[in-house]
Amino acid sequence: MNKLPRLDVAFDEPSAGWLAVEIRTADQRVHENFSHIYPTLPDLCSALCDALGGRPSRRVTFLLEPAELELTIVPEGPAVSVLSLRMFRDRFRTLTPAPILEFHGAATAIVLAFWRALRRLQTCLPASQFSERFREPFPELEMEALTRLVTAQKAQVDR
């Protein structure tokens, strides 16, 4: 019996405007701290909604100052999507580097891994403390939209 590929995602608690994210597969691991300056968390929620809808996701940029980590999720077929992370030296993006992490799996598996990590992040601190530590509020509206889609997807699978 073939074991399904596994994707794990985790965020640390925010601190001084920074937040750590770890994205891990069976043989790859990316752990980076990113700044609050870009709308990374709202963009991530929107990209996950895109992926769940079967559309290529918008790019999500994690500002590492000065480097940037870019995340995309692209459908590769009816049952498989590709999560890709690329590291750019700076915002000018003169060269497109090879991915530092690629994961091929069901869009629902990718989205659920991130959604679970975002839910843990959302509840790790009271909203006011999160805003104070990250210097931006948690994207409640975007997370609500994502949660509605995840819930609908789960209900569809359970039928």
Side-chain angles (χ1 to χ4, degrees):
M1 184 165 141
N2 287 344
K3 194 172 186 181
L4 291 174
R6 183 173 167 97
L7 177 68
D8 292 306
V9 180
F11 292 97
D12 290 344
E13 287 187 7
S15 177
W18 291 84
L19 183 59
V21 62
E22 180 175 276
I23 303 167
R24 190 176 54 224
T25 66
D27 56 351
Q28 302 170 80
R29 177 183 174 269
V30 173
H31 184 106
E32 294 290 346
N33 290 302
F34 64 95
S35 169
H36 68 94
I37 302 215
Y38 291 169
T40 304
L41 295 177
D43 288 354
L44 179 59
C45 290
S46 297
L48 295 169
C49 288
D50 291 345
L52 208 51
R55 298 176 303 278
S57 71
R58 62 202 79 196
R59 294 178 178 161
V60 179
T61 303
F62 297 79
L63 179 60
L64 312 179
E65 294 186 21
E68 293 183 344
L69 180 67
E70 181 184 87
L71 176 149
T72 56
I73 305 167
V74 178
E76 191 175 60
V80 177
S81 289
V82 180
L83 165 70
S84 180
L85 295 175
R86 295 180 192 276
M87 183 72 72
F88 292 88
R89 291 177 22 163
D90 54 39
R91 66 184 174 91
F92 298 109
R93 299 178 180 228
T94 52
L95 300 172
T96 301
I100 59 171
L101 181 144
E102 267 193 349
F103 176 80
H104 298 254
T108 53
I110 294 169
V111 171
L112 283 174
F114 279 95
W115 178 76
R116 288 179 183 121
L118 285 164
R119 289 292 288 165
R120 287 188 297 270
L121 179 62
Q122 183 180 28
T123 60
C124 74
L125 297 168
S128 61
Q129 282 185 9
F130 185 94
S131 292
E132 182 181 314
R133 289 186 185 184
F134 192 52
R135 301 191 180 135
E136 289 292 327
F138 186 86
E140 298 291 342
L141 293 177
E142 293 86 346
M143 188 63 180
E144 283 178 31
L146 176 58
T147 299
R148 279 193 303 274
L149 287 174
V150 166
T151 302
Q153 182 71 29
K154 284 182 179 181
Q156 190 174 2
V157 169
D158 290 342
R159 286 185 204 164

